[in-house]
């Protein structure tokens, strides 16, 4: 996926489906409806790193209500909690090589100032990056396992320097001082070479090879061709750099750069974006992930011969991602579809045994009561074809029409994708059709499509959403008088923009931490976005120039007097991207209009909600709001005390 600024509410689970427009059948059936509590009894799992002896898998799971670290015994399937946090979510990075000690990251209340922690087997915990406002990112291990690489902005809040820590004393040593705003993309095993990225625009980057021995900085991309490149890794012999690029192409593909010869070779391409490429530890396998029409398609090759390796047969979903152990004997597979959160499997390359390790869907919920996502396409106002992901309620029929929501992803430049979302399935289960539009400016459909909303946010991209509403109206089981709009982050901005600039189109709006005032948001971006700020301003507008005219024109807060349809707003108090004051002022302005408005604030969340109790509270409130203001059901009156 290309650069995304306020990425939220983007779905990352995928399954194979026809990329042609889909004919949605009209017959419906009765379906059991489940509570918000039941949907959020399902669990999400992530991570999936093998221990050195290949006997355990390190994962994070939110089964206790927030994310904690767990270890799964591959022989017995037993899952053991390694952390027991009740306040802050914990996300695993990896085992320390050769040990069962682990590295994990955690912030405070969603403020995104992630620190890296060492958890030893004796349960002692050490904050390895303890500076108060430090933000640190785990980067991997040296080949001998004696050093941990990470980036940190403790020296200068604007830029991330590259460090390494020895795994004996955990003493930091700066490897690269970032004074130019270049992001470190890859490190060669001998530490001589760094791949550095300069963000020029959201569709253009410069890729550099930095020789730490000679201090030479060499540009890899062709200056004459606008392109976006992203380093993947260096080869084990330190002679080649693998990276993805769209140089001379609509889509990202894999390039191999021969360092001594200064020569490029296209290694793999498809008619869609290659999202990533990596090799296993000893380069036995090459893994490539492709963003194919809103879903993942994975390929594994013999790295030396280039011959494809077959995946084991999976009955319950599709392969979304894999991780191969250092010894290259085992593979973790992440499997998912629209009707269940991801599950993890372990595969043994030698014995061919495949073992399921997790069961994430709440057993109280029957998968047959949930819906498959479908890829559809519709024509927008100017004839442009717009892709979308569609969820049709099972109970919908021409004799039982249902209300609908246009769902807008985060970004700008995000993408709605085929897969599971507890919130979407909850709303659909309760009778709301959802069309997740990939309006112009979305990633995944080529760089021309991606650039179509530059300096045009709130205009043509919003019209794509309105024409998405028109598509919904064309379906004979949709109540055309009951269509709302909903989104998070940039999608929240689009929701507010719809209510302000197309005030008669949607019956209600659901704003999840959406941008309301571009001038303030662009001036108040977190300091560690400095390397990307120029590209951000190039796409949206520079608040310090004459661009302010347009930014004011398309900032919903400055036109909130136009809002005349009911609105609900959800906001994390610690959000560093969309500040709480944005939502505060929108809600106050709508109240002045004497329009129904509800406001749900979470004091312990940031940009996106990760605590189950907050999701239950917030998304439960969303359904009640929709039932009253979109579906039109009368809410029971509260009893007087």
């Amino acid at each position: 996926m290309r650069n995304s600024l306020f990425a939220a509410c983007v779905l990352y689970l995928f399954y194979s489906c026809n990329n042609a427009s889909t004919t949605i059948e009209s017959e419906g059936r009765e379906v059991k409806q489940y509570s918000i509590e039941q949907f959020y009894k399902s669990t999400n799992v992530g991570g999936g790193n093998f221990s050195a002896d290949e006997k355990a898998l390190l994962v994070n799971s939110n089964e206790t209500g927030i994310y904690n670290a767990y270890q799964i015994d591959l022989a017995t399937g037993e899952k053991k909690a390694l952390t027991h946090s009740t306040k802050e979510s914990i996300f695993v990075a990896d085992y320390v090589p050769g040990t069962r000690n682990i590295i994990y990251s955690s912030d405070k209340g969603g403020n995104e100032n992630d620190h890296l922690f060492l958890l030893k087997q004796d349960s002692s915990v050490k904050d390895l990056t303890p500076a108060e406002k430090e933000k640190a990112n785990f980067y991997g291990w040296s080949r001998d396992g004696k050093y941990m690489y990470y980036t940190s902005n403790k020296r200068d809040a604007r830029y991330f320097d590259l460090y390494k820590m020895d795994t004996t004393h955990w003493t930091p040593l700066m490897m690269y001082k970032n004074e130019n705003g270049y992001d470190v993309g890859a490190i060669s095993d001998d530490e001589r070479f760094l791949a550095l990225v300069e963000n020029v625009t959201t569709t253009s980057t410069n890729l550099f090879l930095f020789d730490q021995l000679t201090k030479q900085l060499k540009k890899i991309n062709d200056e004459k061709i606008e392109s976006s490149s992203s380093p993947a890794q260096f080869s084990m012999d330190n002679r080649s750099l693998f990276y993805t690029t769209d140089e001379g192409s609509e889509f990202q593909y894999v390039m191999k750069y021969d360092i001594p010869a200064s020569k490029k070779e296209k290694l793999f391409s498809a008619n869609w974006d290659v999202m990533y490429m990596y090799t296993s530890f000893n380069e036995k396998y090459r893994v490539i992930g492709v963003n194919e029409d809103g879903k993942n398609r994975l390929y594994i090759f013999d790295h030396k011969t280039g011959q494809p390796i077959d995946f084991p047969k999976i009955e319950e979903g599709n392969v979304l991602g894999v991780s191969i152990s250092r010894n290259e004997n085992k593979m973790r597979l992440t499997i998912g579809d629209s009707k269940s959160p991801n599950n993890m499997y372990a595969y043994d390359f030698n014995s061919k045994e495949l073992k399921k390790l997790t069961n994430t869907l709440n057993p109280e919920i029957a998968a047959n009561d949930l819906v498959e996502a479908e890829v559809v396409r519709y024509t927008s106002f100017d004839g442009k074809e717009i892709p979308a992901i569609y969820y049709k309620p099972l109970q919908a029929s021409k004799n039982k029409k249902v209300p609908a929501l246009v769902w807008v992803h985060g970004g700008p430049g995000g993408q709605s994708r085929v897969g599971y979302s507890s919130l979407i399935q909850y709303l659909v289960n309760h009778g709301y059709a959802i069309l997740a539009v990939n309006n112009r400016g979305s990633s995944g459909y080529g760089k021309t499509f991606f650039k179509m909303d530059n300096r045009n946010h709130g205009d043509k991209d919003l019209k794509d959403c309105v024409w998405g509403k028109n598509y919904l109206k064309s379906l004979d089981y949709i109540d055309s008088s009951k269509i709302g709009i909903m989104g998070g982050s940039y999608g929240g901005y689009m929701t507010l923009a719809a209510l302000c600039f197309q005030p008669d189109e949607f019956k209600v709006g659901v704003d999840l931490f959406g941008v309301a005032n571009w001038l303030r948001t662009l001036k108040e971006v977190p300091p560690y976005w400095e390397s990307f700020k120029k590209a951000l301003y190039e796409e949206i507008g520079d608040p310090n120039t004459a661009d302010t005219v347009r930014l004011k024109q398309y900032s919903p807060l400055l036109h909130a007097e136009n809002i005349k349809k009911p609105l609900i707003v959800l906001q994390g108090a610690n959000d560093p991207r969309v500040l709480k004051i944005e939502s505060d002022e929108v809600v106050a302005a709508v109240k002045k209009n004497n329009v129904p408005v509800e406001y749900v604030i979470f004091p312990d969340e940031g940009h996106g909600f990760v605590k189950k109790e907050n999701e239950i509270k917030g998304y439960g409130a969303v359904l009640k709001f929709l039932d009253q203001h979109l579906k039109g059901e009368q809410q029971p009156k509260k009893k007087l005390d």
Side-chain angles (χ1 to χ4, degrees):
M1 185 178 294
R2 299 174 188 269
N3 288 319
S4 178
L5 310 184
F6 305 117
C9 300
V10 180
L11 308 179
Y12 292 101
L13 320 179
F14 328 99
Y15 79 110
S16 297
C17 59
N18 193 318
N19 65 4
S21 295
T22 305
T23 301
I24 313 295
E25 299 298 330
S26 294
E27 61 272 7
R29 68 170 174 84
E30 291 302 313
V31 61
K32 181 178 179 181
Q33 291 186 329
Y34 301 97
S35 68
I36 186 70
E37 290 81 6
Q38 287 175 304
F39 271 101
Y40 281 89
K41 280 184 183 178
S42 295
T43 59
N44 295 329
V45 293
N49 302 91
F50 287 97
S51 59
D53 59 10
E54 299 184 332
K55 292 182 178 180
L57 196 70
L58 179 65
V59 303
N60 43 252
S61 170
N62 66 346
E63 59 192 65
T64 63
I66 66 172
Y67 287 93
N68 273 285
Y70 294 82
Q71 182 173 267
I72 301 176
D73 186 297
L74 296 180
T76 65
E78 179 185 358
K79 184 162 59 175
K80 175 186 176 183
L82 301 179
T83 63
H84 304 275
S85 175
T86 58
K87 185 177 181 182
E88 307 296 355
S89 280
I90 286 172
F91 297 95
V92 299
D94 201 356
Y95 287 105
V96 178
T99 76
R100 289 290 182 95
N101 300 334
I102 72 167
I103 302 293
Y104 70 80
S105 67
S106 186
D107 70 0
K108 292 185 177 180
N111 67 2
E112 299 188 15
N113 287 329
D114 301 285
H115 286 200
L116 296 176
F117 296 84
L118 169 67
L119 171 63
K120 293 185 176 180
Q121 282 187 272
D122 63 7
S123 298
S124 63
V125 176
K126 180 179 182 180
D127 186 347
L128 300 176
T129 55
E132 183 181 355
K133 294 185 178 181
E134 180 174 8
K135 180 177 175 64
N137 305 295
F138 175 76
Y139 210 90
W141 306 102
S142 61
R143 187 159 189 87
D144 60 12
K146 293 181 179 180
Y147 293 93
M148 178 184 78
Y149 299 129
Y150 70 102
T151 58
S152 167
N153 68 341
K154 69 177 180 179
R155 179 190 61 85
D156 185 331
R158 300 172 301 164
Y159 301 130
F160 289 93
D161 300 319
L162 176 65
Y163 294 83
K164 66 178 181 179
M165 273 188 185
D166 67 276
T167 56
T168 302
H169 303 290
W170 300 97
T171 304
L173 175 67
M174 186 185 291
M175 293 177 62
Y176 171 71
K177 188 177 182 180
N178 182 3
E179 296 180 294
N180 299 309
Y182 294 169
D183 298 322
V184 178
I187 310 165
S188 63
D189 281 347
D190 62 3
E191 298 183 354
R192 176 176 175 177
F193 297 109
L194 301 178
L196 304 176
V197 178
E198 177 190 19
N199 293 295
V200 181
T201 70
T202 53
T203 55
S204 175
T205 62
N206 286 322
L207 175 61
F208 297 96
L209 182 71
F210 180 58
D211 187 331
Q212 298 217 93
L213 184 64
T214 66
K215 304 303 178 184
Q216 260 192 324
L217 186 69
K218 183 177 183 179
K219 186 180 289 186
I220 303 299
N221 56 292
D222 188 336
E223 289 185 353
K224 298 177 183 178
I225 303 174
E226 183 187 60
S227 63
S228 179
S229 302
S230 178
Q233 68 178 74
F234 286 92
S235 59
M236 195 167 62
D237 63 8
N238 307 300
R239 295 176 62 85
S240 299
L241 170 66
F242 299 101
Y243 63 98
T244 60
T245 183
D246 59 9
E247 189 173 293
S249 171
E250 272 293 308
F251 296 99
Q252 294 275 320
Y253 57 90
V254 181
M255 187 82 88
K256 178 182 179 182
Y257 179 73
D258 185 309
I259 297 173
S262 299
K263 289 185 177 179
K264 301 175 185 176
E265 174 192 355
K266 184 182 286 189
L267 197 65
F268 179 91
S269 63
N271 291 324
W272 300 97
D273 279 333
V274 174
M275 296 182 293
Y276 58 83
M277 169 268 172
Y278 64 88
T279 60
S280 55
F281 189 70
N282 294 309
E283 295 190 342
K284 184 175 182 179
Y285 301 106
R286 182 195 312 153
V287 180
I288 292 178
V290 177
N291 177 2
E292 186 176 296
D293 204 16
K295 60 187 181 295
N296 261 18
R297 183 172 294 279
L298 264 70
Y299 301 86
I300 300 182
F301 299 95
D302 182 299
H303 186 58
K304 289 184 174 63
T305 67
Q307 294 300 307
I309 304 294
D310 289 336
F311 281 100
K313 187 176 181 181
I314 306 295
E315 301 290 347
E316 300 178 1
N318 296 278
V319 180
L320 308 179
V322 301
S323 176
I324 298 171
S325 63
R326 277 195 167 207
N327 293 334
E328 301 176 325
N329 295 317
K330 294 184 184 295
M331 177 169 64
R332 181 266 299 160
L333 298 93
T334 300
I335 307 298
D337 61 20
S338 303
K339 297 163 73 171
S340 172
N342 288 356
N343 279 296
M344 288 191 179
Y345 291 69
Y347 178 70
D348 189 306
F349 281 108
N350 299 315
S351 69
K352 311 300 182 187
E353 180 187 12
L354 179 69
K355 180 179 290 187
K356 187 176 183 181
L357 301 175
T358 62
N359 290 286
T360 53
L361 183 66
N362 178 8
E364 298 172 14
I365 296 176
N368 287 340
D369 288 329
L370 306 183
V371 303
E372 289 283 0
E374 301 177 78
V375 175
V376 300
R377 282 172 163 77
Y378 62 89
T379 301
S380 192
F381 68 98
D382 57 356
K384 188 68 184 173
E385 186 178 70
I386 304 299
I389 312 300
Y390 183 67
Y391 302 81
K392 176 196 172 187
L394 296 175
Q395 56 268 52
S397 72
K398 64 175 64 177
N399 296 318
K400 188 176 182 180
K401 295 181 184 291
V402 297
L405 289 163
V406 169
W407 176 291
V408 192
H409 59 65
Q415 182 188 21
S416 284
R417 310 179 74 173
V418 174
Y420 183 81
S421 161
S422 288
L423 173 55
I424 286 180
Q425 289 288 356
Y426 171 59
L427 296 176
V428 176
N429 178 248
H430 284 260
Y432 293 89
I434 291 184
L435 182 73
V437 301
N438 282 311
N439 51 272
R440 66 193 70 201
S442 302
S443 57
Y445 305 98
K447 61 185 178 185
T448 299
F449 190 83
F450 183 75
K451 291 193 292 185
M452 281 184 173
D453 68 343
N454 285 6
R455 305 255 175 157
N456 193 246
H457 302 295
D459 182 11
K460 292 177 183 175
D461 52 359
L462 178 56
K463 290 175 183 174
D464 291 340
C465 298
V466 172
W467 260 253
K469 174 205 164 187
N470 294 339
Y471 168 78
L472 287 167
K473 288 173 63 176
S474 73
L475 304 176
D476 63 7
Y477 52 83
I478 298 293
D479 186 334
S480 62
S481 67
K482 297 179 179 180
I483 300 176
I485 186 167
M486 174 177 185
S489 193
Y490 183 72
Y493 162 73
M494 294 288 276
T495 296
L496 296 174
L499 298 188
C500 285
F501 309 133
Q502 301 281 350
D504 297 315
E505 292 292 345
F506 296 96
K507 189 173 181 181
V508 301
V510 180
D511 165 27
L512 312 177
F513 43 91
V515 177
N517 183 348
W518 280 120
L519 294 169
R520 179 169 50 213
T521 296
L522 292 170
K523 286 181 178 179
E524 299 293 332
V525 296
Y528 47 82
W529 283 18
E530 184 67 26
S531 66
F532 189 57
K533 191 161 68 173
K534 180 182 175 183
L536 171 62
Y537 287 180
E538 180 67 26
E539 175 177 344
I540 300 176
D542 187 337
N544 304 300
T545 69
D547 291 345
T548 56
V549 175
R550 188 185 187 283
L551 293 173
K552 288 179 180 178
Q553 183 182 0
Y554 285 95
S555 288
L557 179 63
L558 307 183
H559 306 275
E561 69 276 4
N562 295 334
I563 296 179
K564 55 186 181 181
K565 300 296 176 63
L567 172 68
I568 184 171
V569 179
L570 275 60
Q571 175 72 43
N574 303 318
D575 192 335
R577 307 188 191 195
V578 177
L579 302 180
K580 177 176 172 289
I581 192 172
E582 296 269 304
S583 295
D584 290 346
E585 293 183 353
V586 164
V587 170
V590 177
K591 284 182 177 178
K592 286 184 180 179
N593 298 345
N594 292 318
V595 172
V597 58
E598 297 181 23
Y599 194 19
V600 185
I601 305 169
F602 303 106
D604 54 351
E605 297 279 18
H607 196 70
F609 315 131
V610 295
K611 295 180 173 67
K612 283 190 178 184
E613 65 176 327
N614 291 336
E615 292 175 309
I616 289 170
K617 175 185 176 182
Y619 301 146
V622 167
L623 181 66
K624 290 179 181 177
F625 169 85
L626 293 173
D627 283 348
Q628 179 178 358
H629 297 287
L630 183 57
K631 190 179 286 185
E633 294 179 353
Q634 291 295 321
Q635 299 297 303
K637 293 182 178 180
K638 294 182 180 179
K639 293 182 179 180
L640 297 175
D641 292 332

